[in-house]
């Protein structure tokens, strides 16, 4: 009994084949170029996004300053009410890096007494800001920003490359229809 062997033909669209059409070669090149551009574009977009996030982290760290603020009034104690649990009080005062005095409400520990010194983070102009991200958070933001940008850029290129063969399929079907029409009319009968 004879066993049949199945052979996998790689790069079949580029080999010499009498049934190969120009549309098949164009489709093969479009698919290959799409994958190459998706990988290359994804890497470039990911690196660019990671660099931009890294620069934003450096800028945030350079613009943020930790300054001591003095609590002017006693801070309220913890409350079970969700709106009152904000733990912000009016009456914090501090001196900005440029020497100007500021007075604004800030988040403080519950029941902090008036006159206590609490460190706050400010911009160069003296407005309150959140603390800068830590090294671990910066690495996470940079990595995730780069990965997401690379994935979206590569996906967009692959999506566009996937749409191109749809038009080629319509053209291929039109060519097949035209050939069948020519062959059927030569023999004098119609298939559909």
């Amino acid at each position: 009994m004879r066993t049949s062997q199945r052979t996998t033909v790689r790069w079949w669209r580029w080999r010499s084949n009498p049934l190969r059409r120009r549309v098949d070669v164009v489709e093969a090149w479009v698919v290959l170029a799409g994958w190459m551009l998706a990988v290359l574009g994804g890497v470039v977009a990911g690196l660019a996004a990671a660099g931009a996030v890294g620069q934003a982290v450096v800028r945030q760290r350079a613009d943020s300053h930790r300054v001591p603020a003095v609590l002017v009034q006693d801070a309220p104690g913890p409350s079970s009410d969700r709106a009152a649990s904000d733990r912000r009080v009016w009456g914090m005062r501090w001196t900005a890096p440029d020497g100007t005095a500021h007075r604004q409400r800030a988040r403080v520990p519950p029941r902090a007494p008036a006159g206590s010194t609490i460190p706050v983070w400010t911009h160069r102009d003296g407005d309150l800001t959140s603390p800068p991200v830590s090294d671990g958070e910066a690495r996470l933001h940079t990595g995730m920003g780069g990965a997401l940008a690379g994935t979206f850029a590569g996906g967009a290129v692959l999506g566009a490359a996937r749409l191109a063969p749809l038009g080629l399929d319509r053209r291929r079907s039109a060519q097949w229809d035209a050939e069948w029409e020519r062959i059927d009319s030569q023999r004098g009968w119609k298939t559909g």
Side-chain angles (χ1 to χ4, degrees):
M1 192 170 195
R2 236 174 107 174
T3 61
S4 64
Q5 290 182 338
R6 183 173 180 220
T7 58
T8 302
V9 180
R10 291 191 171 96
W11 310 105
W12 68 271
R13 293 178 193 228
W14 282 284
R15 72 180 184 163
S16 177
N17 184 343
L19 299 177
R20 182 189 70 192
R21 298 172 187 234
R22 185 174 183 90
V23 172
D24 297 328
V25 175
V26 170
E27 181 181 0
W29 281 108
V30 165
V31 170
L32 179 66
W35 276 100
M36 290 176 64
L37 287 174
V39 170
L40 188 63
V43 168
V44 169
L47 290 174
V53 171
Q55 288 175 354
V57 166
V58 168
R59 220 176 11 259
Q60 180 195 25
R61 287 181 179 171
D63 289 345
S64 298
H65 301 284
R66 188 174 178 170
V67 296
V70 177
L71 187 58
V72 178
Q73 65 185 19
D74 292 336
S79 173
S80 61
D81 184 21
R82 186 174 271 197
S85 66
D86 192 19
R87 295 190 315 200
R88 292 183 184 222
V89 297
W90 287 99
M92 295 290 294
R93 70 173 185 256
W94 66 90
T95 304
D98 62 359
T100 59
H102 289 269
R103 187 177 179 119
Q104 194 174 353
R105 109 179 162 159
R107 192 176 301 270
V108 297
R111 294 194 183 106
S116 58
T117 302
I118 299 168
V120 294
W121 287 92
T122 63
H123 285 296
R124 288 185 181 177
D125 57 359
D127 292 334
L128 289 176
T129 186
S130 59
V133 295
S134 67
D135 289 338
E137 290 172 330
R139 282 192 298 275
L140 177 68
H141 289 201
T142 302
M144 290 302 291
L148 286 173
T151 301
F152 287 137
V157 171
L158 281 180
R162 185 67 188 131
L163 291 177
L166 295 177
L168 294 172
D169 285 342
R170 282 194 294 270
R171 184 173 178 179
R172 186 181 298 120
S173 292
Q175 287 175 347
W176 284 345
D177 288 344
E179 281 193 36
W180 276 112
E181 183 71 29
R182 185 178 51 86
I183 290 171
D184 282 351
S185 63
Q186 286 176 350
R187 295 187 180 162
W189 39 276
K190 298 279 187 185
T191 58

